[in-house]
Amino acid sequence: MADFRQLPWRAFALVALGLGACGGGSDGESQQSAVPLTVQRVFSRLPPFSSPVAMLQDPADSTRWFVVEQAGQVRVFDNIPTVAAATVFVDIAGRVTFVDETGLLGMAFHPDFPNDPRVYLFYSHTDVTLGLLSRLSEFSTLDAGLTLDPDSERVLLTIDKPESNHNGGGIAFGPDGFLYVGLGDGGGANDEHGTIGNAQLPTTLLGKMLRIDVEGTTGAFLYRIPTDNPFAVSTVLCGTDGTGPQSCPEIFAVGLRNPWRWSFDRMSGQLWVADVGQGALEEVDRVTLGGNYGWRCFEGTRDTRLACGSPSDPLPPVAEYGHGLGRSITGGYVYRGSAIAPLVGRYVFGDFTSGRIFNIAGNTQPTLSLTVTNSFVSSLSISSFGEGKDGELYVVHYGGELYRISQ
């Protein structure tokens, strides 16, 4: 999961946008002023969850919540304030490697669930021969959505992992109906594997945002490639071990270090990604098809001076903050609820280590340097956020409790 630890192209981008180095934008102060927020404990009668890393609802049902536990279980409970018990939706702990940042890290319902019985899980697994792997797998419900059958697993992607950290692991269906997968750079420090690292190397899936179509197959692979993916013309898929002899056609965008939690704005469809930094800066990106988000050439707006090839047109982060405010960013959501009117259209996110929760304008222009005025300290270890079908936002505390964003 998340880590627990003057640029020529950047200057050009700022001049082109008419912005200063600290960001801002055409609406000036609205870019800088955060909406005052707080958090409120919810579902307080539930026993604590074990290392929870995600909270979500299924596409057709607002009466239940699902919580992903890193050790390999997904629990489900009724969306009632006084609920006192959660049951097991699926348990794959026996095949999940849970050490440090590895584990069961992501879950996505098929958009037509439960009419379409498929649910996707992303998890770490140790093979006796191959070592540590990341897997994207499909599971099915056999009881109209009450549970998932752990024996129904079909593996879509297998990615060799050189280290236990920087897994990424967030998965979600986009508004285009395709399945997106966020992958870290493979771990270690400074994207250290290979002469230019992994994030800028198109022949590996590591350090990328992926996009696949699960409504078809390609030979033995249980997915096909969207025709407008940047490397869709490549004839060899990389889903066997995460690499290929050609640029991987699964790639949607490149240059990510450890995209820990990301989401689509349910109104605009914009993809927002929080990318965990190395030693200096945490960053927020608005990710688009074919975009390059800089790592390991850049950490936020900092030139790393590391060999990274010759990337063309790397894109600046929308916002960034230094390690005085936190050391491990956790992505959230653009608020589309009704309970906090001033927050509508603003992106809400946090930091695992400091517990700060930030919010910025959805039209913030690159690159806004965040300060304490953009945030408040929640005193939580923020492993994830959740978005209800009503657009209200929730905070997942890694210690096992759930909270709602309030004003």
Side-chain angles (χ1 to χ4, degrees):
M1 57 183 295
D3 288 341
F4 304 128
R5 326 166 280 108
Q6 298 293 334
L7 312 180
W9 66 268
R10 206 69 76 178
F12 173 82
L14 293 172
V15 169
L17 290 166
L19 303 177
C22 290
S26 59
D27 58 349
E29 187 62 26
S30 68
Q31 300 272 352
Q32 306 284 348
S33 301
V35 175
L37 298 174
T38 186
V39 293
Q40 177 184 1
R41 175 88 182 272
V42 290
F43 309 119
S44 58
R45 295 184 62 191
L46 288 172
F49 293 95
S50 177
S51 302
V53 293
M55 177 185 184
L56 65 162
Q57 293 185 318
D58 85 50
D61 185 7
S62 62
T63 68
R64 297 188 298 169
W65 279 104
F66 299 81
V67 172
V68 177
E69 297 181 326
Q70 195 176 352
Q73 289 191 335
V74 177
R75 297 190 179 274
V76 58
F77 61 90
D78 293 334
N79 187 15
I80 299 171
T82 57
V83 64
T87 60
V88 175
F89 183 62
V90 67
D91 184 350
I92 59 167
R95 67 198 80 168
V96 170
T97 297
F98 173 29
V99 179
D100 190 28
E101 297 179 20
T102 65
L104 176 58
L105 301 175
M107 175 179 174
F109 291 94
H110 187 279
D112 195 32
F113 183 87
N115 294 324
D116 189 306
R118 293 176 290 175
V119 178
Y120 298 84
L121 299 178
F122 184 99
Y123 68 94
S124 308
H125 173 73
T126 300
D127 183 271
V128 293
T129 301
L130 301 175
L132 184 63
L133 310 169
S134 292
R135 279 181 178 171
L136 173 69
S137 289
E138 174 189 287
F139 295 81
S140 295
T141 179
L142 305 181
D143 53 14
L146 294 179
T147 63
L148 279 188
D149 177 13
D151 295 326
S152 66
E153 180 176 16
R154 302 200 303 168
V155 178
L156 276 69
L157 292 173
T158 300
I159 303 109
D160 290 348
K161 277 291 272 96
E163 312 285 348
S164 65
N165 58 343
H166 304 181
N167 301 282
I171 57 176
F173 281 89
D176 53 12
F178 298 134
L179 182 60
Y180 289 69
V181 184
L183 293 180
D185 64 12
N190 290 311
D191 197 2
E192 62 191 32
H193 296 279
T195 57
I196 65 168
N198 288 318
Q200 294 295 328
L201 187 67
T203 55
T204 176
L205 300 180
L206 294 171
K208 314 296 193 301
M209 182 65 68
L210 313 182
R211 182 176 68 161
I212 60 175
D213 181 359
V214 299
E215 302 306 326
T217 60
T218 306
F221 291 96
L222 301 177
Y223 62 91
R224 59 192 177 194
I225 302 299
T227 57
D228 60 341
N229 273 13
F231 305 114
V233 296
S234 295
T235 58
V236 181
L237 275 60
C238 296
T240 299
D241 63 4
T243 63
Q246 306 168 1
S247 296
C248 295
E250 296 90 345
I251 292 173
F252 179 82
V254 306
L256 299 173
R257 183 176 179 273
N258 187 20
W260 183 249
R261 297 308 177 230
W262 46 269
S263 65
F264 293 94
D265 180 348
R266 62 167 57 187
M267 180 172 290
S268 70
Q270 176 65 63
L271 174 56
W272 290 78
V273 175
D275 199 13
V276 180
Q278 177 64 51
L281 295 170
E282 308 295 309
E283 72 179 79
V284 173
D285 297 305
R286 282 190 296 251
V287 171
T288 57
L289 178 65
N292 185 333
Y293 296 89
W295 180 252
R296 72 176 185 174
C297 305
F298 299 93
E299 177 192 8
T301 56
R302 184 182 73 89
D303 189 342
T304 66
R305 310 297 181 187
L306 297 169
C308 60
S310 301
S312 59
D313 302 321
L315 298 169
V318 172
E320 67 183 9
Y321 61 90
H323 283 182
L325 294 183
R327 303 183 63 86
S328 185
I329 193 170
T330 299
Y333 293 85
V334 173
Y335 180 74
R336 296 298 179 186
S338 59
I340 311 174
L343 194 61
V344 173
R346 296 181 69 87
Y347 180 60
V348 180
F349 59 102
D351 187 275
F352 179 88
T353 58
S354 70
R356 288 189 180 276
I357 295 178
F358 303 84
N359 65 87
I360 61 173
N363 63 349
T364 297
Q365 296 301 308
T367 295
L368 175 64
S369 295
L370 297 171
T371 68
V372 293
T373 62
N374 300 101
S375 67
F376 75 97
V377 178
S378 69
S379 301
L380 304 177
S381 297
I382 303 168
S383 61
S384 192
F385 289 79
E387 182 184 37
K389 289 180 63 63
D390 59 2
E392 300 305 322
L393 299 186
Y394 296 77
V395 181
V396 179
H397 172 46
Y398 194 61
E401 302 162 354
L402 306 173
Y403 293 79
R404 183 171 55 233
I405 296 288
S406 304
Q407 193 173 32

